[in-house]
Each structure stands twice: as C-alpha cells, then as structure tokens.
Amino acid sequence: MGAAVFSVGEWVIKRMPFVRHLYSASKQISAAISPDQNTTAFKEVAIIRHPRVGEYAFGFITSSVVLQ
C-alpha cells in the first residue's frame, strides 16, 4: 500500500513543471551519495589542484582502474 502511494506521489511530482527538475536532481544526488541504494556510489572524495595557483576542485572517486 505504501509503495503505491509513493509511486502516485512521485508521478504527480514528475508532472509539475519546475518541481520535477529539482526532484530528479535531488534524487540523483541522493542515489550517488547513499552506498546502500547504489553500488556505483562514490567511495572517496578527492581534492584536485588546478593549474592556477590557489584553485582547487572536489572530485568523487567511484572506481579504480589498473593499467597494465
């Protein structure tokens, strides 16, 4: 019963013009952050230095690649 109500609520939200963009973006972010829901969630956070002095960016490590 609860899943059906949730499904109908999600359907209604996806029909709203501005809200659907916010909802889908927040759903993707929560899926990426939560390792319980998604096996491709990020494992670590990295700080990457840019070529310009004093500028940094955050990166998310999702997997490892071994080069041969």
Side-chain angles (χ1 to χ4, degrees):
M1 180 81 178
V5 171
F6 184 75
S7 178
V8 169
E10 190 172 21
W11 180 81
V12 169
I13 289 173
K14 286 183 178 179
R15 297 287 181 202
M16 295 178 176
F18 181 68
V19 178
R20 69 177 166 206
H21 298 295
L22 294 174
Y23 176 73
S24 63
S26 64
K27 191 171 180 181
Q28 288 177 357
I29 290 170
S30 68
I33 292 173
S34 176
D36 295 338
Q37 295 177 359
N38 191 355
T39 57
T40 61
F42 68 87
K43 296 174 177 63
E44 294 180 49
V45 177
I47 298 176
I48 303 164
R49 186 176 51 180
H50 282 204
R52 197 177 285 172
V53 176
E55 288 190 3
Y56 297 91
F58 289 104
F60 300 101
I61 299 173
T62 57
S63 64
S64 305
V65 176
V66 178
L67 299 176
Q68 296 181 359

